[in-house]
Amino acid sequence: DTAVSQTPKYLVTQMGNDKSIKCEQNLGHDTMYWYKQDSKKFLKIMFSYNNKELIINETVPNRFSPKSPDKAHLNLHINSLELGDSAVYFCASSQEWQLDNSPLHFGNGTRLTVT
Amino acid sequence: SQKIEQNSEALNIQEGKTATLTCNYTNYSPAYLQWYRQDPGRGPVFLLLIRENEKEKRKERLKVTFDTTLKQSLFHITASQPADSATYLCALPSGGYNKLIFGAGTRLAVHP
């Protein structure tokens, strides 16, 4: 059973479109995240939710809007897609919001290509 | 702000040898540091966590050290195998216990 699953795995779309990426975790974790991995392979945190409440919101354009309908799901909606949004987006979860004793469990990523 | 430096060049070693990867950070010493493994097309997988008051942590063939004086963590894989070939990422908290920042990773290639 996949612990953290994201859909779709690949997403190719044109500039200006709106798209969503879905994430679900079956680990019973309280905290979920979205990370972006750019072409230089740096993983950068975008958002973090704990018990459906937003606790981290990095300097991300407001075209990106996370939604957490319940603790097991964290979706990412992106409006007016731009070329620079092309990257791999990873969903992750952790048992607790403090990571000193609770590592991150990542999904396998969604490769977004904006043309 | 905190920055992480990992050797961007790939590390090529012979099977059976010990691989040593370096993670340097620039500012304050973090309360803990984590290491992850990432295979192509997959998400990172957690390997080990070491706290600032721990000098060394081991798990099977893996060993991590943490030197707050040098602002450095070393990640060792002993008796390396081709299956150990992957990119290894160092991560530490920045701006709170919940916010992990990652290095760009070092790619390890173990040759038979």
Side-chain angles (χ1 to χ4, degrees):
Chain A
D1 284 345
T2 305
V4 181
S5 58
Q6 302 178 223
T7 53
K9 186 168 175 64
Y10 299 97
L11 185 52
V12 181
T13 188
Q14 290 184 329
M15 282 174 55
N17 284 348
D18 303 338
K19 291 293 179 186
S20 291
I21 307 172
K22 295 187 176 181
C23 178
E24 175 182 6
Q25 54 95 3
N26 63 4
L27 297 166
H29 287 172
D30 286 343
T31 312
M32 295 185 73
Y33 310 77
W34 278 108
Y35 274 82
K36 177 180 179 180
Q37 190 169 43
D38 59 25
S39 56
K40 294 183 179 177
K41 305 299 182 187
F42 278 104
L43 264 171
K44 293 180 183 173
I45 189 166
M46 300 173 69
F47 302 103
S48 173
Y49 271 73
N50 185 54
N51 282 322
K52 299 195 299 175
E53 288 193 26
L54 182 67
I55 54 173
I56 292 178
N57 184 350
E58 284 298 281
T59 311
V60 175
N62 57 15
R63 297 182 294 104
F64 290 79
S65 53
K67 291 272 191 315
S68 182
D70 54 58
K71 282 198 322 182
H73 295 85
L74 180 62
N75 303 323
L76 184 65
H77 188 76
I78 315 171
N79 288 327
S80 304
L81 278 155
E82 300 177 356
L83 292 176
D85 297 332
S86 296
V88 181
Y89 292 85
F90 286 98
C91 178
S93 71
S94 62
Q95 188 167 11
E96 300 168 16
W97 72 274
Q98 287 186 321
L99 298 175
D100 58 333
N101 201 32
S102 178
L104 294 173
H105 296 254
F106 284 88
N108 283 325
T110 295
R111 181 174 292 277
L112 171 65
T113 304
V114 183
T115 61
Chain B
S1 60
Q2 185 76 282
K3 287 188 181 169
I4 301 176
E5 296 164 354
Q6 291 188 258
N7 197 337
S8 57
E9 290 184 16
L11 179 62
N12 290 284
I13 64 166
Q14 204 71 26
E15 183 175 9
K17 301 289 186 188
T18 296
T20 299
L21 288 76
T22 304
C23 172
N24 294 301
Y25 54 91
T26 56
N27 291 342
Y28 56 86
S29 277
Y32 63 90
L33 195 146
Q34 298 183 4
W35 283 88
Y36 289 78
R37 168 185 172 141
Q38 186 173 22
D39 290 283
R42 309 295 295 265
V45 174
F46 171 74
L47 296 174
L48 280 168
L49 180 151
I50 187 165
R51 301 178 200 283
E52 61 180 338
N53 61 351
E54 297 173 322
K55 290 276 191 252
E56 181 180 296
K57 201 81 168 277
R58 289 176 187 261
K59 179 183 174 183
E60 298 170 355
R61 294 185 294 111
L62 309 181
K63 184 178 86 171
V64 172
T65 62
F66 194 177
D67 189 327
T68 55
T69 303
L70 293 177
K71 296 188 177 181
Q72 180 181 82
S73 174
L74 297 179
F75 179 82
H76 306 271
I77 306 175
T78 58
S80 59
Q81 304 164 1
D84 295 326
S85 299
T87 296
Y88 292 85
L89 307 170
C90 167
L92 49 87
S94 178
Y97 270 68
N98 180 246
K99 184 177 159 189
L100 270 188
I101 60 171
F102 284 79
T106 298
R107 191 162 57 85
L108 172 66
V110 181
H111 302 283

